[in-house]
Amino acid sequence: MKTIGLIGGMSWESTLSYYSLLNEGVKAALGGLHSAKIVLVSVDFAEVEAQQREGDWQGAAALLARAAQSVEAAGADFVLICTNTMHKVAEEVRQAIEIPLLHIADATGQALVRDGIRKVGLLGTRFTMQEAFYRTRLADQFGLEVCVPAESCQQRVHDVIYQELCLGKVTDSARQDYIRIIKALQESGAEAVILGCTEIALLIGDADVDIPLYDTTAIHVQSALNTSLA
């Protein structure tokens, strides 16, 4: 079993999902008392959020690169960034280490292509929905057409993530708003919707809508399990 490196804390609620799902996956695969071999560096999300808000992506890249180097020094065989948004600096992180980085958009793109999806809706932070680092990777490497909500809906999706889900708050009003936004994406031709923020799966799941949802946390975890147990 290879040791999985995690850069977490963005937010810790979603990192908890990573830790739990990884251990459940190893137990299911190997049985008995087996659990995942994990090295975790958890950063202070308040510092990262301030850098995001101020547009200090260079500072954020340096912070995550140092975390990745710590994970590598502790014996990880490969590393995951446990958040979608911070894959904006994935290349800077990858260049700072010698071990592989498993990119969350690559794992998601592979799952969509495998299932024959061609046009997909994307929910996430405003950085993930508006900037090219995520959408362009899905389009260029996997041939996917990616659509996002209307601008006013993007703000609601973003605000729920930062003002509620990252604080451990899950409300029915937020769930209903997400359902409405997902239905609008479906009406625009989306065949599936990417839950492109690791916290969104805390709010909404397959039982809430009648369109396939791709939970990037679960997909990223499965990619890590496949690599660790290969």
Side-chain angles (χ1 to χ4, degrees), residues 107-123:
T108 302
Q110 290 162 6
L112 289 160
V113 169
R114 178 197 65 211
D115 293 344
I117 302 297
R118 292 163 297 179
K119 183 174 182 178
V120 64
L122 174 62
L123 300 180

Side-chain angles (χ1 to χ4, degrees), residues 13-221:
E13 283 87 357
S14 63
T15 305
L16 179 63
S17 296
Y18 270 86
Y19 188 82
S20 178
L21 289 169
L22 284 167
N23 280 289
E24 289 171 1
V26 168
K27 182 177 181 181
L30 301 181
L33 297 176
H34 284 289
S35 58
K37 295 173 66 176
I38 294 173
V39 174
L40 167 64
V41 172
S42 190
V43 302
D44 180 0
F45 189 40
E47 182 178 356
V48 175
E49 189 278 332
Q51 291 169 327
Q52 292 175 344
R53 185 165 19 90
E54 295 163 6
D56 182 15
W57 295 103
Q58 184 175 356
L63 189 154
L64 263 62
R66 290 193 297 271
Q69 289 166 346
S70 296
V71 165
E72 181 177 26
D77 293 300
F78 60 95
V79 65
L80 285 69
I81 302 172
C82 301
T83 165
N84 286 269
T85 298
M86 295 310 295
H87 279 75
K88 181 176 171 68
V89 299
E91 183 59 24
E92 292 90 331
V93 173
R94 187 192 64 78
Q95 291 179 6
I97 53 178
E98 299 297 327
I99 58 177
L101 183 150
L102 299 190
H103 199 293
I104 197 168
D106 291 348
T108 302
Q110 290 162 6
L112 289 160
V113 169
R114 178 197 65 211
D115 293 344
I117 302 297
R118 292 163 297 179
K119 183 174 182 178
V120 64
L122 174 62
L123 300 180
T125 67
R126 62 182 174 86
F127 310 107
T128 301
M129 291 186 288
Q130 294 176 4
E131 299 187 28
F133 72 92
Y134 203 96
R135 293 182 290 108
T136 299
R137 194 176 188 100
L138 291 173
D140 291 350
Q141 295 196 20
F142 300 98
L144 294 164
E145 181 182 353
V146 183
C147 57
V148 296
E151 189 170 345
S152 60
C153 295
Q154 289 182 28
Q155 190 61 51
R156 175 59 174 157
V157 170
H158 179 89
D159 288 345
V160 166
I161 292 167
Y162 281 88
Q163 297 173 15
E164 298 184 24
L165 299 179
C166 287
L167 299 174
K169 183 179 179 182
V170 178
T171 67
D172 188 60
S173 61
R175 181 177 295 107
Q176 293 305 316
D177 284 343
Y178 269 59
I179 289 171
R180 175 177 53 81
I181 292 166
I182 287 170
K183 285 182 177 178
L185 288 170
Q186 188 174 14
E187 290 169 359
S188 73
E191 302 166 277
V193 173
I194 298 170
L195 305 185
C197 177
T198 49
E199 284 84 10
I200 295 178
L202 303 174
L203 177 68
I204 196 162
D206 291 328
D208 298 305
V209 293
D210 58 359
I211 185 173
L213 300 178
Y214 283 74
D215 173 5
T216 54
T217 301
I219 293 168
H220 208 195
V221 162

